[in-house]
Structures are given as structure tokens and as C-alpha cells.
Amino acid sequence: MTCFFSCKQEKPVLTEISGKQIAVSDTLIATDSIEAFVAPYRNRINEILDSTIAYAPKDITKNDGILNTTAGNLMADAVLELAGPIFKSRTGSSLDFVLLNHGGIRSIISAGNISARTAYEIMPFENTIVVVGLKGDAILDMVDYLIKAKRPHPLAGIQIILNKDDTINTIKIQGEDFDENKTYYVGTSNYLVNGGDRMDFFKKKLTFTETDYLIRNIMIDYFTKKDTIAPITDDRFIKLDY
């Protein structure tokens, strides 16, 4: 019998899926045609990433201070300066201060030329800056977290001075005394707001604004803008010894 449109054909049925792991290593033989196709793009990317955009007169690290470091201060200052205008244009409000995480800084900046690749080494993650509104009680929870953490988490726009016994001596935000009844706008990473590093005080956020600005891109833009990068440790977060 001849089948045309009325006859049904049995569809093949998938009964098994198999696979194997292929390790990616230098033992794999390159395919010349693929290498030739990729080479111009790879060369152009490397040219852009390795072009000098700034200069560091000395090493910048996250381990050269007790409660604040040159690398942490650099990153937080860059976010405050460059993300602030974006937040202002979208909301009409000012960015009060910045809090990032010490562990998010993945590399030092060695003395010498700084390139875009440097920013990728410092911040290899796709984290963006978000701004949340926090009431005074959440800010006090944040300060308590920082005191207990005893790590130099990057800060900018806020000053925290502790007494010798780790009690709070002074909190100033944008140079003004802390007001527990005020709502402050805090720039941070989407990773931290979503529970990273157990910064649970962010759960008390009253507002949330996504800037869509990658921290890595902020660093590249900051390097390009500043030319010479020479952050210092200062009194933004310190503990008195008397």
C-alpha cells in the first residue's frame, strides 16, 4: 500500500543519552581554521585590555590597613563618585555613602601602569552597584556588623570612629552627625543586597535602585578619569587607642 498524507509514521524515541568529560588543557590540538578565525578578535581584545589608562606610583592592596585599606578606599571612592550622579539623575536623591565587601577585591594593583585588564583582575565578577534606602536602625545594625567583622570592608562617605573597647565614638555621614531618624541612601553591590557575606541589615531596605553599572566598569572609568591612582588609608574607619 502506498502512504501519502493519511499514513502515520512512527517517531524515533530517545532511549539513552551518553557523554564523556573532555578536559580542557594544553594537550588538546588546536584547529588551524578556528585559530585563524579567532586570532584578529583575540588580538584586538588584548590590545584594548592591555592599553595603559592610568599609573600607580606604589602598590595598592587590601591588606595594608586594619579597618581601611588603600584598595578598599579606592574602590569605594570610585563607586561614590561615579555611581552617585547616576542615582541622582534617576531619583533626585543623593548617594550618601558606599559599603562594599573586602572579599570582593580579588587582586592587588602593582606599582606601574594600570590597564583595563587590571580592573578585570580586581573585580572579575559581574556585580553591579545598587542603591538602597536604609533607616537609622539598619545603619546601626550595619555598624555593629562592621565592628564584629573586624575586616576592612570598603567604605566611602561615612566615618566610623570606635573607642578602645569597640563601642561607637562617632558616626558621621557626608560630614554630618548620624541621624537615627533619617533615611540614608547606600551604594553597594547586588551580591551583598541579595545576602552575600551575611549582611542581613540590607533586608531592612526601604527602597531599591539598580544602576546597571558594573563595578568593574566603574573602576575602568575611574582609572581613565584620574590618570594617577594613589589612594591612602585614612580616618574613615578607625579605632582609638586611648
Side-chain angles (χ1 to χ4, degrees):
M1 181 179 69
T2 304
C3 276
F4 291 100
F5 300 103
S6 61
C7 291
K8 294 183 178 179
Q9 297 182 356
E10 292 186 2
K11 296 181 178 179
V13 178
L14 181 65
T15 58
E16 182 182 359
I17 298 176
S18 62
K20 64 179 180 178
Q21 183 176 6
I22 300 176
V24 177
S25 69
D26 56 9
T27 61
L28 295 177
I29 300 174
T31 302
D32 291 341
S33 59
I34 295 177
E35 282 293 307
F37 178 81
V38 170
Y41 300 96
R42 181 192 296 122
N43 293 340
R44 179 55 179 161
I45 290 173
N46 287 335
E47 179 184 345
I48 294 172
L49 288 178
D50 293 329
S51 296
T52 299
I53 55 178
Y55 177 79
K58 63 179 182 178
D59 289 351
I60 301 169
T61 84
K62 67 175 185 178
N63 300 309
D64 54 9
I66 299 174
L67 293 177
N68 70 91
T69 69
T70 54
N73 293 352
L74 166 65
M75 184 174 285
D77 287 346
V79 170
L80 185 64
E81 181 173 327
L82 297 185
I86 294 175
F87 178 66
K88 181 77 170 182
S89 67
R90 294 183 183 178
T91 66
S93 299
S94 296
L95 179 58
D96 291 302
F97 68 92
V98 169
L99 167 65
L100 302 172
N101 63 316
H102 180 259
I105 304 172
R106 308 302 286 189
S107 175
I108 71 169
I109 300 176
S110 298
N113 293 336
I114 296 174
S115 66
R117 191 183 297 277
T118 306
Y120 277 83
E121 293 169 350
I122 298 168
M123 176 53 66
F125 313 113
E126 299 298 303
N127 292 340
T128 61
I129 287 299
V130 301
V131 180
V132 296
L134 295 180
K135 204 73 174 179
D137 64 320
I139 301 299
L140 290 176
D141 288 346
M142 181 201 80
V143 173
D144 183 63
Y145 172 94
L146 293 173
I147 293 171
K148 292 176 179 177
K150 299 185 184 301
R151 300 187 76 191
H153 291 297
L155 293 167
I158 184 172
Q159 182 186 41
I160 303 169
I161 300 176
L162 304 180
N163 296 311
K164 188 176 182 179
D165 61 356
D166 281 340
T167 56
I168 298 171
N169 179 288
T170 304
I171 301 176
K172 288 184 178 291
I173 298 175
Q174 289 296 322
E176 300 291 331
D177 289 336
F178 168 67
D179 182 352
E180 193 169 352
N181 297 312
K182 183 179 177 180
T183 296
Y184 292 97
Y185 294 103
V186 185
T188 188
S189 73
N190 55 349
Y191 165 74
L192 295 178
V193 165
N194 290 326
D197 277 17
R198 297 182 179 179
M199 293 190 181
D200 294 335
F201 48 86
F202 282 128
K203 293 179 180 178
K204 293 184 176 182
K205 61 183 180 296
L206 303 176
T207 63
F208 176 93
T209 303
E210 172 63 75
T211 69
D212 299 310
Y213 204 167
L214 290 171
I215 299 176
R216 180 174 58 245
N217 290 348
I218 288 177
M219 299 306 297
I220 292 172
D221 292 343
Y222 188 81
F223 292 154
T224 303
K225 181 179 179 181
K226 295 298 182 179
D227 184 65
T228 299
I229 308 299
I232 60 171
T233 56
D234 54 27
D235 63 352
R236 69 187 66 191
F237 189 17
I238 59 172
K239 179 178 178 178
L240 302 175
D241 57 5
Y242 54 87

